[in-house]
Amino acid sequence: MDHHQYDIAIIGLGNAGSQVLLAMLEHQGFKDHKILVLDDFQGESLDKTWSFWEKGTGKWDHLISYAWDFGSFKTDDLKLDFDLTPYRYKQLKSRDVIAFAKAKLIDHPNCTLVENRVANVIENTETATITTEAGSFEAKLVLDSRIPSAFFQDTQSIKLQQHFLGWVIKTEKEIFDPSRFLMMDYRLRDPGTTSFTYILPYSATEALVEFTYFSSEIVSNQTYEKYLKTYLSDYLNIESYEIISTEQGNIPMTTYRFEQHNTRLVHKIGTAGGWVKPSTGYSFKRTEKFVGILIDNYLKSKPLDAGMFLKKFRFYDDIMLDVLKHHNDRGHLLFQNLYKNNPIKRILSFLDEETVLAEELKIMLPLTSWPFIKGFFKKLF
């Protein structure tokens, strides 16, 4: 059994694990660190798409699959087209990001890859012991992307799920505008739920079409498929199409405080660390920001999550989740008011947690329906 000691062990080479590893390999502060990465690559992480917005060019542009300069938002009462400038909406294939990180890892003399599932992590006095079928490993710090079991047992936090089924379809006729993606279309909804259609067009005849819920309970595959078929036939007037591939996911949207599981030797990252934006389910660009904070904190010997979670934005997220939890049938109205009363640049900046109070008031005040006010005071007191 290998008991070699590493400075840092990263469990999971998904979104968070890949970004942490690449950032460390690019930073001079880690040039002498011995890094261990453990992943059995048996999950669904290789078959996901990661979408995000950012201003101008970014560090991932060499891996980008598609990008859009324009977007749309629709309800029965509102049709909004917007220019994203100075932002662009971009899509990555998880397989490409992970392959890029894996290649960098294999080529680095101070890195070791163990393609095995982690069975257990035990904290000792100075190191943590990581047990796998390939042996045991010691690390001074473990960055762990496995969701703690306590999360699934918790009954106090609000727990919504962004769950969806998407089809990449190919049509005979030119249907889509490849320069414009559809953020949310609430014209077709599952009654009593916050549910919508999301479209990423790849060409005039090819697109990813997803039916998505923000809700407490998941639905059957037959339900997703029913709404996808209805949307394609009744809203896009598509008579014939081929399903090229499918994508299905479930992202937690929760008030649960994942950082409570961080210890001196084991730190949770990614979804397991609460890095998913609770009110939207977006995580890729947020992870990039949190990775920068984590690395800076590590090199300065500060708590690794210091400065990650800003209280006022966590407060806003908690309110939004409270409203969606208790008034799920009104979610489309909440988002309609958000998009109707704010330019897209302000909305994206707010979701990136980069706005000032004056901007935040402009975001929040139009949402002041009775459910929203009730949620506000519930969280305030």
Side-chain angles (χ1 to χ4, degrees):
M1 296 178 71
D2 185 349
H3 288 281
H4 187 73
Q5 186 177 109
Y6 295 86
D7 294 292
I8 297 172
I10 301 171
I11 300 177
L13 199 65
N15 177 12
S18 293
Q19 292 206 49
V20 168
L21 173 66
L22 289 169
M24 288 180 175
L25 296 184
E26 293 166 1
H27 199 294
Q28 281 297 306
F30 294 86
K31 63 184 179 64
D32 295 322
H33 280 58
K34 293 182 178 179
I35 301 174
L36 171 69
V37 177
L38 305 105
D39 196 317
D40 61 359
F41 300 105
Q42 297 299 311
E44 300 175 353
S45 61
L46 295 175
D47 300 313
K48 296 180 179 178
T49 56
W50 295 330
S51 300
F52 60 97
W53 55 84
E54 67 178 348
K55 294 179 180 178
T57 58
K59 65 181 292 183
W60 306 101
D61 281 4
H62 65 294
L63 295 175
I64 291 294
S65 301
Y66 299 95
W68 297 268
D69 295 312
F70 304 95
S72 298
F73 175 89
K74 297 178 182 180
T75 67
D76 291 327
D77 302 319
L78 177 68
K79 183 182 185 298
L80 178 67
D81 292 328
F82 45 81
D83 182 342
L84 289 169
T85 307
Y87 295 91
R88 298 193 82 200
Y89 195 71
K90 304 178 181 183
Q91 185 191 70
L92 290 162
K93 300 292 186 183
S94 62
R95 183 179 297 274
D96 294 338
V97 176
I98 293 169
F100 180 71
K102 191 175 180 180
K104 292 286 187 180
L105 159 63
I106 292 172
D107 289 341
H108 201 283
N110 290 340
C111 293
T112 300
L113 173 63
V114 174
E115 295 194 41
N116 228 280
R117 188 181 68 84
V118 171
N120 201 9
V121 177
I122 299 175
E123 294 186 57
N124 309 305
T125 304
E126 298 297 331
T127 63
T129 301
I130 305 163
T131 305
T132 75
E133 290 183 358
S136 296
F137 307 87
E138 304 289 328
K140 296 176 183 177
L141 173 66
V142 178
L143 301 177
D144 188 358
S145 64
R146 299 173 304 158
I147 297 176
S149 59
F151 167 70
F152 302 103
Q153 299 162 5
D154 171 72
T155 58
Q156 301 303 310
S157 304
I158 293 175
K159 292 182 182 177
L160 297 179
Q161 303 172 80
Q162 179 185 142
H163 53 100
F164 55 86
L165 175 65
W167 291 342
V168 175
I169 64 166
K170 182 79 173 178
T171 61
E172 296 177 353
K173 299 178 181 179
E174 294 189 349
I175 301 293
F176 306 103
D177 176 359
S179 70
R180 184 182 301 278
F181 78 102
L182 180 60
M183 180 71 86
M184 293 174 163
D185 187 343
Y186 282 103
R187 291 176 298 167
L188 176 65
R189 303 191 306 277
D190 189 344
T193 72
T194 298
S195 50
F196 58 91
T197 305
Y198 168 74
I199 300 179
L200 297 180
Y202 302 146
S203 71
T205 58
E206 187 174 330
L208 169 65
V209 183
E210 286 186 354
F211 196 75
T212 302
Y213 289 78
F214 293 170
S215 65
S216 298
E217 304 295 333
I218 62 171
V219 298
S220 67
N221 283 352
Q222 289 79 9
T223 300
Y224 297 117
E225 291 168 359
K226 177 184 73 173
Y227 286 107
L228 283 169
K229 290 176 183 177
T230 300
Y231 190 88
L232 293 173
S233 63
D234 296 358
Y235 291 83
L236 295 182
N237 298 314
I238 298 176
E239 299 175 357
S240 177
Y241 57 89
E242 175 190 0
I243 299 175
I244 298 174
S245 61
T246 64
E247 179 178 355
Q248 193 161 12
N250 188 345
I251 303 168
M253 304 171 67
T254 179
T255 60
Y256 187 80
R257 303 314 193 214
F258 288 95
E259 69 273 16
Q260 67 183 284
H261 299 288
N262 294 335
T263 65
R264 186 171 56 87
L265 301 178
V266 180
H267 186 92
K268 293 292 185 178
I269 61 173
T271 302
W275 291 12
V276 174
K277 178 71 172 171
S279 58
T280 66
Y282 279 91
S283 65
F284 189 84
K285 196 65 180 177
R286 182 175 166 96
T287 294
E288 182 182 316
K289 179 188 293 186
F290 280 18
V291 166
I293 294 171
L294 182 148
I295 285 180
D296 187 62
N297 288 339
Y298 177 86
L299 294 173
K300 293 179 179 177
S301 299
K302 297 169 62 176
L304 296 185
D305 58 1
M308 282 188 183
F309 303 103
L310 304 179
K311 288 184 178 180
K312 65 174 180 177
F313 288 105
R314 179 164 260 180
F315 178 62
Y316 300 147
D317 283 331
D318 287 356
I319 297 171
M320 295 278 280
L321 291 180
D322 188 84
V323 174
L324 289 173
K325 169 70 175 178
H326 296 100
H327 303 275
N328 204 244
D329 59 322
R330 297 172 58 89
H332 64 291
L333 298 177
L334 185 153
F335 288 102
Q336 176 176 286
N337 284 338
L338 176 65
Y339 278 83
K340 181 180 180 180
N341 293 286
N342 293 280
I344 188 63
K345 300 173 190 63
R346 183 187 298 151
I347 294 173
L348 298 183
S349 182
F350 174 73
L351 295 177
D352 283 339
E353 303 185 355
E354 295 174 349
T355 47
V356 297
L357 182 59
E359 296 173 298
E360 290 149 22
L361 289 174
K362 292 177 181 177
I363 289 278
M364 304 299 281
L365 288 176
L367 305 181
T368 51
S369 62
W370 169 241
F372 202 86
I373 293 173
K374 185 177 179 181
F376 176 86
F377 283 105
K378 181 185 295 185
K379 292 300 176 185
L380 188 62
F381 300 106

